Amino acid sequence: MKSDFYSVRMRASSLGRHLSGGERMVPRAEIGAVVSALTERGLQAAEGAADEVHCQVERIDAATLHYATLPDVSTCQVADVYAGRQLAVSLLTQAGVQEPVARQAVELLADGAGPGGTVMRGAVLMDVATGQRLEPNPERGIRVSRMDVTAACRLKLDRLLQGHALGHRRVSEALVLAGKILAAPGAVAELCWSDDPHYITGYVAAPSFGYRRISILKSCGDPRGGRVLFVDLSVTTVTTLIHYLEKTPVLFSDTGKILPASQGEAAHA
Ligand code: AMP
């Protein structure tokens, strides 16, 4: 008999301000250890001392659980932010985003996509045909949730990433998030860089080339970052897509490949 899975989600805050979050999807027997690890992570958030850490545990309906394979991973080394953003536009175009829409998305993240140039909690949904924003709440955005890897896949993934000096939790978590996005109905591509002022690597992900890291997508010290998901509304509706991203549980049971690093792909930029 297949065991039930549970979604475990943590969010840490201070004076009502969101500090950090994390989530897993695990069998019943692992809930205790995962709640403990996520709580500890919330308490030790680099963003500041948390005065509240909430963990929520929710049983997943097995009939709604989807299995998928993680995208391939590759890294492009670029010389500076300008080259990184040019490359991001080039990769987005390759994935099927019109160049003006790709440029608009890069500028949006560079300026801060939330109201008044703030950082959003979730992702921007962008109509790939028009560049129109589709997320109902531009402060919150869309929170991609309910995704993880199976235990066997976790072992393989950790080994694979560590073998390529990509063992940081940040990489595996972003890869899983991008994997869920790429498996979404109507997903054309995703653009992301972190709001962590000291983490300057970002990525473009697309079904055709997987998860492509770009070594520099912002300047060190810049607190702005975010995610843009480009959607083709000729194959899905906004409601269907948001329901999938936020509610449908997806477990990755296998990894993709790690492809060799390349230098900037300047020819495409
Ligand atoms: P991070 O890579 O965790 O630094 O996140 C970068 C940006 O992605 C954040 O500023 C949010 O705008 C967005 N983001 C973070 N987590 C999620 C999520 N679970 N779903 C959608 N967007 C997210």
Side-chain angles (χ1 to χ4, degrees):
M1 196 184 89
K2 274 191 171 175
S3 61
D4 280 336
F5 274 85
Y6 291 77
S7 162
V8 184
R9 301 192 295 281
M10 176 279 290
R11 62 193 164 82
S13 60
S14 169
L15 300 172
R17 186 173 67 91
H18 174 82
L19 289 180
S20 75
E23 73 167 272
R24 299 288 313 279
M25 234 164 46
V26 292
R28 169 83 179 80
E30 286 175 39
I31 293 175
V34 165
V35 167
S36 165
L38 285 176
T39 305
E40 200 51 45
R41 176 170 157 184
L43 289 169
Q44 293 181 4
E47 295 81 356
D51 50 32
E52 283 186 35
V53 178
H54 293 267
C55 276
Q56 186 177 346
V57 179
E58 180 191 280
R59 192 169 69 82
I60 298 290
D61 175 358
T64 64
L65 188 57
H66 289 240
Y67 285 88
T69 298
L70 286 167
D72 292 342
V73 178
S74 53
T75 303
C76 297
Q77 300 294 339
V78 291
D80 54 27
V81 184
Y82 179 77
R85 291 182 180 175
Q86 281 286 100
L87 178 60
V89 169
S90 164
L91 290 171
L92 289 169
T93 312
Q94 215 176 297
V97 181
Q98 294 297 316
E99 188 171 326
V101 174
R103 289 200 182 283
Q104 181 188 328
V106 169
E107 278 164 26
L108 188 64
L109 292 193
D111 294 343
T118 50
V119 171
M120 293 168 71
R121 288 210 43 223
V124 172
L125 271 195
M126 188 170 277
D127 182 339
V128 73
T130 64
Q132 193 193 338
R133 287 176 69 168
L134 305 166
E135 71 281 7
N137 178 343
E139 188 178 349
R140 175 182 181 273
I142 306 303
R143 294 282 304 173
V144 184
S145 181
R146 296 174 173 81
M147 64 274 172
D148 204 342
V149 299
T150 61
C153 182
R154 163 102 33 216
L155 282 178
K156 185 176 171 193
L157 180 64
D158 287 350
R159 256 201 315 265
L160 204 59
L161 292 177
Q162 277 159 19
H164 289 79
L166 295 172
H168 198 286
R169 188 182 66 206
R170 185 187 282 289
V171 177
S172 55
E173 288 188 351
L175 178 63
V176 169
L177 199 156
K180 181 165 183 189
I181 286 181
L182 294 189
V188 175
E190 183 202 351
L191 167 70
C192 169
W193 68 80
S194 179
D195 54 89
D196 176 338
H198 303 293
Y199 192 71
I200 60 174
T201 299
Y203 65 85
V204 171
S208 54
F209 51 75
Y211 175 92
R212 191 156 295 183
R213 303 170 69 244
I214 299 175
S215 60
I216 308 175
L217 267 179
K218 72 174 194 179
S219 307
C220 196
D222 185 347
R224 286 163 298 190
R227 286 186 153 84
V228 180
L229 162 53
F230 300 88
V231 54
D232 180 353
L233 288 181
S234 70
V235 292
T236 190
T237 63
V238 173
T239 311
T240 305
L241 180 60
I242 293 178
H243 184 271
Y244 164 85
L245 293 170
E246 297 194 335
K247 304 280 189 232
T248 302
V250 176
L251 261 184
F252 293 93
S253 52
D254 203 358
T255 66
K257 294 190 283 293
I258 309 271
L259 305 172
S262 63
Q263 292 295 322
E265 294 199 345
H268 297 288

